[in-house]
Amino acid sequence: MKPLQCFLCLLLPALAGCVPVPSPGVEGDPLRGKIALTQYACQSCHMIPAVPGSKVYVGRPLSDLSKRKVLAGTLENNQANLVRWIRDPQAINPHSAMPNMGVSERDAIDMSAYLLML
Ligand code: HEC
């Protein structure tokens, strides 16, 4: 983080962009989602901005997810599909290398809120 931004965070956290604000039309709590991403260890296979993890990634970086048109090569990119994918990748692609991690609906919604904000 840049020194000026740190300084602004102390004074005006919301204005300096330190408190995540969901993207328009997106449900869920991105801050809680960021914590959930680490609890399920998604960062062990994906590069996720501001979540320290592995340096050898199996899955694609999730840094530019909000700009993608298609998820996992098959799904239209929207929040509902992102939640479906996170909860059960094999339901969409039985050959996917991403495991079903038993993510609850609430956690998946919050994770998607964080990922779509990036
Ligand atoms: C064991 C490694 C592994 C773990 C753990 C993992 N993933 Fe994945 N993930 C993958 C792989 C591999 C793909 C590509 C799968 C495909 O296209 O079939 C993928 C694809 C994705 C995609 C679609 C990305 C794109 O480029 O379209 C999203 C979103 C995603 N993962 C989110 C998550 C989240 C959230 C978690 C934590 C709940 C998670 N992943 C945990 C391996 C993993």
Side-chain angles (χ1 to χ4, degrees):
M1 191 178 283
K2 297 180 198 81
L4 175 65
Q5 199 188 0
C6 284
F7 177 69
L8 286 174
C9 286
L10 292 174
L11 289 178
L12 302 163
L15 286 182
C18 312
V19 177
V21 178
S23 313
V26 169
E27 289 178 63
D29 176 346
L31 196 56
R32 204 184 157 277
K34 183 181 170 190
I35 295 166
L37 286 162
T38 60
Q39 286 170 337
Y40 287 95
C42 311
Q43 77 278 15
S44 62
C45 291
H46 295 282
M47 198 282 281
I48 307 173
V51 178
S54 161
K55 295 279 172 280
V56 184
Y57 300 109
V58 177
R60 293 166 71 180
L62 300 180
S63 44
D64 59 349
L65 208 64
S66 60
K67 297 185 195 76
R68 303 233 196 113
K69 296 248 180 305
V70 174
L71 287 177
T74 52
L75 281 181
E76 185 190 336
N77 186 5
N78 58 42
Q79 187 175 23
N81 281 342
L82 185 53
V83 167
R84 275 175 66 206
W85 175 266
I86 291 171
R87 297 198 66 202
D88 192 0
Q90 277 71 35
I92 292 151
N93 174 3
H95 303 294
S96 175
M98 174 160 155
N100 178 332
M101 304 179 70
V103 179
S104 73
E105 182 162 19
R106 160 102 202 262
D107 286 344
I109 289 171
D110 291 340
M111 286 175 185
S112 65
Y114 181 71
L115 294 173
L116 291 172
M117 196 189 73
L118 299 173

